[in-house]
Every structure is written in C-alpha cells, then in structure tokens.
Amino acid sequence: KHSLIPRNLPNDHISHYDLNRLASTPMAAYNKERILILTPMSRFYDEYWNNLLKLTYPKQLTELGFIVPRTADGDIALKKLEKAVKQVQSSKNKENRYTKITILRQDSDSLESQLEKDRHALSVQKLRRSNMALARNSLLFTTIGPYTSWVLWLDSDIVETPPTLVQDLVSHDKPIISSNCYQRYFDTEKKEMSIRPYDFNNWVESQEGLNIASNMAEDEIIVEGYSEIATYRPLMAHFYDPNGDINTEMALDGVGGSAVMVKADVHRDGAMFPSFPFYHLIETEGFAKMAKRLGYEVFGLPNYLVFHYNE
Amino acid sequence: KHSLIPRNLPNDHISHYDLNRLASTPMAAYNKERILILTPMSRFYDEYWNNLLKLTYPKQLTELGFIVPRTADGDIALKKLEKAVKQVQSSKNKENRYTKITILRQDSDSLESQLEKDRHALSVQKLRRSNMALARNSLLFTTIGPYTSWVLWLDSDIVETPPTLVQDLVSHDKPIISSNCYQRYFDTEKKEMSIRPYDFNNWVESQEGLNIASNMAEDEIIVEGYSEIATYRPLMAHFYDPNGDINTEMALDGVGGSAVMVKADVHRDGAMFPSFPFYHLIETEGFAKMAKRLGYEVFGLPNYLVFHYNE
Ligand SMILES: Nc1nc2c(ncn2[C@@H]2O[C@H](COP(=O)(O)OP(=O)(O)O)[C@@H](O)[C@H]2O)c(=O)[nH]1
Ligand SMILES: Nc1nc2c(ncn2[C@@H]2O[C@H](COP(=O)(O)OP(=O)(O)O)[C@@H](O)[C@H]2O)c(=O)[nH]1
Ligand SMILES: [Mn+2]
Ligand SMILES: [Mn+2]
C-alpha cells in the first residue's frame, strides 16, 4: 500500500508519478519516504550543521534546501555552507551523503541588520516577515518534487534537537506539527544554566485575537509575541511541562518556523507563506491559517523541545 | 547580464542557483530562458498535441508537465499521452525532444461527468473549480525548478494557437499575460465557419462585482460568465477587434487558464490557485487576485486569439 511512487523510473527524460501512491506515514523511514529539509539561512552556525548531520533519518532519503540572503552576513553564511556541503557530499561512505542539496541565493531584499534587538522591533516585523515569506516560498516552490513525502522547516539557528527529530515528528502522522522552541541561557541569579521559551509563534487563537483582527484595517497584521498587541492567545511556549509526556499534542492556529514538519501534500495543495496580510497574519502564522483554509489541522508538541541559538 | 543561472553545474548532487541571475525577459529564447508548459488534462486531443509540437520555442529549453485525473476519461487520456510522449522523446533528432516531461496522476477527486453541459452548471462550479485549483497547485509545486524562467498554463483543449505563442506572450514582458480564448463553430444561419468567445474568466473588476462580493458570506464565491451573478464586469472576450493591433494590451483583474504566461517569480513569490474563496474568487480568478496582492500586474491581449476545442 505504501510503496514508493515512481510508476516508471525516469527514462528518456520522462518522469511519471502517481500522487495516490505517494504516502506520508508514521513509518516514513521503513517505507522509504523522501523528506526535504528546508532552511532559510542568514547565518551559518556550526552547531546547527553538526546537529543536522546527527539526525538519524537516512540521508539517502533526505534532501536539503537552503536560501541565503543577499547581504554581507549572507555572503559569509554562503561560504561556510558551501564548504560544509562539499565536505559531506564527498564522504566516501555513500550513506553519509544527502540525496540532493539545493542552495539558492535570494533575489529579494533583506534586512541589513540581523542583530536580535533590531530584527525583533515590532515596527520592522511586517517588512521583515514579509521578506522571509518570499524567501520561504522561493525555496519551497523550487525544491519540492513529485516524490517528496515530508517537508521539515528547520531554522538555521536551531542548534539542538533530539537526533530522532524527523522520526519523532512524522510518528504523529499530522498534516502539520510543530516542536516547542526554547533557548538555553545562564541564569545569573541561580548561577546555573537554564532554559526559557523562545518562539512565540505557536499559538491558539483567542477571542481577543479575533476581536483585534476584526477591528483592523485590511492591510494591518498581528504578529504574536509583542506586548503592544495583547491577544491573550494561549502560547504553546508556556505549555511546556518538564515532567509531561513528550508526545502530548495540542491543536494550534499559528505556527513558527523553528522546527515544523509538514506533509508535502499540504504544500502541494497550495499552502504557502503569505507575504501579504492573510486574515491579518503573515509568513508562518499565515501559513497555518492557509493550511486550515485548505482543510488541514495544525498541531504542536509542547513538551518536545528544540533549542535556539543564544547570541 | 541575462546569462543562465547555475553558478556551478550540478556536482555531487549539489545544485547552486542565483535567483538574481535568473531572468524572465522578452529575449527569452536568445537568453536561453527555460520555460515550463503546464497542462491539467482530463482528455487528450490530437489537435492539442499537434499544436504543441508546432510551437517554435526551442524544445531543449521547454519542459512539459501534465496532471491527469483519476477518472475513466483520465485513464484514456493518460494512455494516449504516454504514447505521444514516448514518441516525441525518442526522436532521433535531439532538437525535437523536450528537456523534461513530468506526468502526474492526481490524488484528489474529480468530477465524473466531463460533458460540457454538466461541468458548466453553476451549482457544480465551486467544487469543480476548487478541485481544479488543487490539481494546478500539485502540478505547479512539483515541476517548477530553480532554473525555470516562465510558466505557460495551457489547457488541454486549446487546439489552435499561433506557433510563436511562447515568444509572442513573453515579448510583452509582463508578470502575467493572458491570450483571448475563442472557439470555431459552424454558423448554421450563415452556413459558414465562424468564431465566438469561449473563456469569460479574463475580466476587469466592476463596481457591481465589488458590491456583490462585499455582501457575500465569507465562503461564497463569484464565478464569472454566469447570468445568475450579474457582475457587469468588462470581459476581455468582448474586446476582440479583428482589425485591431494583435499586440494591444489591457489590464485585467481575473484570468482564465486557457493560455496564460506567467513569470516564474510570480509563482515563486507564492502566487498559487486558491481552492478556498480568496476575496470570493477561486482557481485562476483567485490566482490573478493573489498575484495582485503580491504586487504584480495582470494583463490580457484581447486581439491575440487561441482556440478552444468544439465538442
Ligand atoms: N533567506 C533568508 N533567511 C533569513 C533572512 N532573515 C533571517 N533568515 C533566516 O530565517 C530564519 C528565521 O529568522 P530569525 O532571524 O532567526 O528569526 P527569529 O529567530 O524569529 O528572530 C533563520 O533560519 C534565519 O537564518 C533573510 O533575509 N533571508
Ligand atoms: N487534472 C485534471 N484536469 C482537469 C480536470 N477537469 C478538467 N481538467 C482540465 O483542466 C482544463 C480546464 O478544464 P475544462 O473542463 O476544459 O474547463 P472549461 O473549458 O472552462 O469548461 C482542461 O485542460 C481540462 O483537460 C480534473 O478533474 N483534473
Ligand atoms: Mn531565529
Ligand atoms: Mn476547456
């Protein structure tokens, strides 16, 4: 039932795919399902790369796609990425090579300053996130193939995940499922390392959120995580329970892009990252809304942590 | 300036593309720009295929993509298509082969009866066009590559176009440009062959259209060309002037899918075919609206005719 898709193998430049035989199942690796890991990358972190290499999903079933901005930071990231890619793709052991790697250089504008305080100012969010949406769409449209079963969106500053990230996320068999993105930091009071929530884009819609949206001008947007817009939306970041079951699921209405797994059919049906206000949402938050309009459910794993770089 | 994109050629499964060097210009053939012709196909017509083969844009720069529905009609179309594809791709002369052909078999539902009177009933339009949107998106997302400069949407029942269709449409250098779809028929009064308008989805928005939309429930849609919904939108079909300049352009707000050329960047930015009501529009009409939300302008060529099959 879940056999792989090509009806005929490519022959004389003809490819033939039966989308009905293309499954996205909890048994992904066993069924040899192809996964595409997509990363918009303004900076290259060794920690990200090393974590990626440690993922245990078979590399022969894994494609990577990157889009690098046309900025000074992007130039540096591109050089480091190219070096790292060449090294892994020239591994003697074929099992250590990815099946395909695509690197795109962005053609649209990017924010010049990537410092956290600058990129997080509410005033720049609309432009910044709208550009990010364009970058994600370019990457998605040009890399997803007829044989792709799953798309994992993984930000370039996610530096620590369980090595079984792919298998763990697909095992939930959901159209979209997001992990909970935290950050390690040094707690100066307790004088020890600790963790704190980082990504506030995984949320459940609230009545206040809906009220704010219904009173907004057509082109205004809500970006979650800013006290200037008090939506009182339940944020998945706050649902983390260190003693809870790591497999606990919760339904979401908005997602972030840190580490989120998407069945390829959701994208193929048309779910993309709106760069314009879509129900007053853009980028990954707008993507979740669009997937819902396409009839898909969106979930998060509050107790399943991945960690963001600490600048 | 308009050199082709790959910075490095594929090497060890690494592909490297600079989207800034990827142009979509009026000099497409000279600049060796890659074009992707996409056709959703519920029926295979020899006339469509022969017309396609006669297009003079270089086949080595042309990729084809088809999506065939999972219906009895689709089974027949698929068989005929496969036969035709094998024949052209095994041409001795390499110049007669397309650079790549992808055939997808649809996984979503399709209307069983494809008779014109059935598929044109207003009551089935929402479901039918929504399924068509999903088919178009699956085809688009899985075939557009990082090297694609132009996407030509060409319906499978377009049986006659100028052989210079591709060059003619790209020469206008527009983000989206639609030809005018007519039909040949036998005029029983005049006892001679004549032509009449066929595709009414190329239109300019009207105040009445906007008023109707603003009074609609969120999930209602307007489909153009039905007297039940009188939008009084100026329809490009009615602007045809047999003595006019074939290059006359007009700005449009809605487009059909008969024969419409799109700069690949428009799709890459995220413009797709909404299967859900988007500003009360779906499928190709919703696509035009989405492109406009992304900042692109949409045009039509009222005097540039292509012809639809007459059942
Ligand atoms: N291609 C591209 N990627 C970007 C750009 N800005 C940020 N990124 C990447 O997009 C992801 C999210 O951006 P980031 O700045 O980390 O967002 P934050 O963590 O929410 O502040 C990360 O993987 C960045 O490397 C850009 O302008 N272009
Ligand atoms: N893949 C797919 N293609 C379809 C389906 N229905 C129609 N088509 C194709 O979509 C295009 C437009 O459909 P058609 O029925 O001709 O629309 P009309 O000319 O506006 O009545 C044509 O190329 C059809 O062959 C379907 O269910 N699935
Ligand atoms: Mn980040
Ligand atoms: Mn037709």
Side-chain angles (χ1 to χ4, degrees), chain A residues 39-215:
Chain A
T39 300
M41 179 176 277
S42 59
R43 292 190 182 176
F44 179 92
Y45 294 113
D46 290 324
E47 296 87 339
Y48 159 88
W49 189 254
N50 293 334
N51 183 71
L52 181 72
L53 292 183
K54 274 192 225 129
L55 296 183
T56 56
Y57 197 80
K59 293 196 174 42
Q60 307 104 292
L61 297 175
T62 306
E63 279 186 36
L64 306 180
F66 302 90
I67 185 161
V68 181
R70 198 170 290 282
T71 56
D73 270 357
D75 291 341
I76 301 170
L78 183 60
K79 282 223 182 78
K80 293 186 179 172
L81 175 64
E82 285 179 327
K83 202 176 149 197
V85 159
K86 282 206 178 115
Q87 197 179 337
V88 67
Q89 293 302 77
S90 57
S91 300
K92 290 221 180 82
N93 186 344
K94 259 198 161 179
E95 290 193 2
N96 293 330
R97 295 187 212 156
Y98 293 97
T99 181
K100 188 176 170 190
I101 299 181
T102 304
I103 303 175
L104 300 181
R105 198 71 201 270
Q106 204 172 321
D107 59 0
S108 45
D109 293 339
S110 296
L111 215 62
E112 265 305 329
S113 168
Q114 290 283 346
L115 292 182
E116 185 173 336
K117 71 170 169 41
D118 296 331
R119 65 174 206 258
H120 283 178
L122 179 56
S123 57
V124 302
Q125 284 303 305
K126 190 169 173 179
L127 184 61
R128 187 181 98 86
R129 303 256 333 248
S130 161
N131 286 337
M132 281 300 308
L134 296 176
R136 288 190 195 274
N137 288 335
S138 287
L139 184 56
L140 173 66
F141 276 69
T142 57
T143 55
I144 192 172
Y147 44 76
T148 313
S149 286
W150 298 91
V151 177
L152 173 65
W153 289 94
L154 185 65
D155 274 354
S156 72
D157 41 20
I158 299 303
V159 291
E160 184 188 336
T161 71
T164 50
L165 178 70
V166 171
Q167 295 91 328
D168 295 345
L169 295 181
V170 305
S171 74
H172 289 268
D173 200 19
K174 298 296 186 202
I176 301 180
I177 196 151
S178 181
S179 55
N180 204 357
C181 178
Y182 266 58
Q183 186 176 50
R184 296 194 189 278
Y185 75 106
F186 187 74
D187 184 331
T188 47
E189 273 178 24
K190 293 192 184 153
K191 304 236 188 298
E192 60 182 28
M193 288 304 291
S194 184
I195 63 171
R196 62 189 171 200
Y198 186 85
D199 188 342
F200 297 113
N201 290 329
N202 297 300
W203 46 259
V204 182
E205 190 54 281
S206 66
Q207 195 51 53
E208 288 86 344
L210 292 172
N211 291 348
I212 293 172
S214 73
N215 290 316

Side-chain angles (χ1 to χ4, degrees), chain B residues 13 54 70 75 100 103 118 134 145 149 153-154 168 278 291:
Chain B
H13 305 276
K54 273 191 226 130
R70 197 170 291 281
D75 290 341
K100 188 176 169 188
I103 303 175
D118 296 331
L134 296 176
S149 286
W153 289 93
L154 185 65
D168 295 344
F278 182 72

Side-chain angles (χ1 to χ4, degrees), chain B residues 84-101:
Chain B
V85 159
K86 282 205 179 116
Q87 197 178 337
V88 67
Q89 292 303 78
S90 56
S91 301
K92 289 220 179 83
N93 187 343
K94 260 198 159 179
E95 289 193 3
N96 293 330
R97 295 187 212 156
Y98 292 97
T99 181
K100 188 176 169 188
I101 299 181

